[in-house]
Amino acid sequence: MSARTWLITGCSSGLGRALASTVLSTGDNVVATARDAGAVRDLGGLALSLDVTVPEQVRAAVAAAESEFGGVDVLVNNAGYSYRAATEEGDDADVRRLFDTNYFGAVDLVRAVLPGMRARRSGAVVAISSIATRAGLPGGGYYAATKAAVDAMMSSLRAEVAPLGITAMTVVPGAFRTDFAGRSLVQAPREIADYAATAGLRRKENDTSHGTQPGDPARAAAAILATLGSAEPPAVLVLGADARGLAERDLDSRRELLRVAERYSTEF
């Protein structure tokens, strides 16, 4: 079986770095990207500087991968960061920058690799989402919204590309020992006292979880690799016992909401 070529964004640390290292150990090719290529050159493979919010850089990265390896077989949209703010506290520019990175950057990469995948009638698109989309955490609404947008896009993409031999899989991790609660976390400068007991409790200065999360990025990387290598990769891969528990509670809650509203939603 010939080596596949992976283009992975956000490889300077955390899950992206662990995944790039794991994939390289199998003999596959990796195009490892980060805002600064110097942060990923030690991994091996092809290291590229990529700011996913700049469309020209997105197209250049895909073109470089095609020139070096003949095409992109697996795209992993991992680049992104977290943002904490009560809904009322959110800064317009900050929120738009968040969506540009977490959502629009991912969409641009998908659109850039699909022509090659369609031509070969093969390929896989992987999006790293978050259990935050199912948790309803105070102060996390804007971040969860970016990931929920990715989830919805991937759901439609899955139906569009499946007949073309292309896989689209969403990965939903729980808390992993990455920089998510460290340098990858931005918080709104504005604080409203009325939210101190809700969103305020989750602000960065009150976060003691950084570096102590239960999830191991290396094990997550191995799970993603194994899942993509299976005969029928799942549409959604939930990673971590904490994520599984939150996903189950979310399903139970939605069923209960449907039950409570059944009389109103069916009498038309």
Side-chain angles (χ1 to χ4, degrees), residues 83-159:
Y83 181 77
R84 285 189 185 163
T87 304
E88 189 180 352
E89 295 171 336
D91 176 81
D92 284 353
D94 286 347
V95 171
R96 282 167 173 74
R97 192 176 304 113
L98 183 73
F99 270 88
D100 283 343
T101 301
N102 292 7
Y103 176 69
F104 289 109
V107 171
D108 283 348
L109 276 153
V110 170
R111 292 191 296 199
V113 301
L114 279 180
M117 290 183 178
R118 285 191 293 103
R120 294 186 297 275
R121 287 299 194 264
S122 67
V125 176
V126 179
I128 308 301
S129 181
S130 171
I131 196 59
T133 62
R134 294 157 174 83
L137 298 172
Y142 289 112
Y143 170 72
T146 65
K147 292 300 187 178
V150 170
D151 290 356
M153 182 270 291
M154 288 291 289
S155 181
S156 293
L157 177 68
R158 194 172 299 117

Side-chain angles (χ1 to χ4, degrees), residues 44 77 92 114 190 192 230 251 267:
N77 271 320
D92 284 353
L114 279 180
R190 183 187 183 198
I192 298 175
S230 64
L251 287 173
E267 292 183 356

Side-chain angles (χ1 to χ4, degrees), residues 163-181:
L164 307 177
I166 302 169
T167 297
M169 183 175 79
T170 303
V171 178
V172 182
F176 278 77
R177 293 186 295 278
T178 68
D179 276 336
F180 177 82

Side-chain angles (χ1 to χ4, degrees), residues 51 74 96 106 129 131 157 176 193 202-203 238 242 245 256:
D51 180 342
V74 184
R96 282 167 173 74
S129 181
I131 196 59
L157 177 68
F176 278 77
R202 299 199 66 245
R203 284 185 170 276
V238 178
D242 57 338
E256 179 62 15

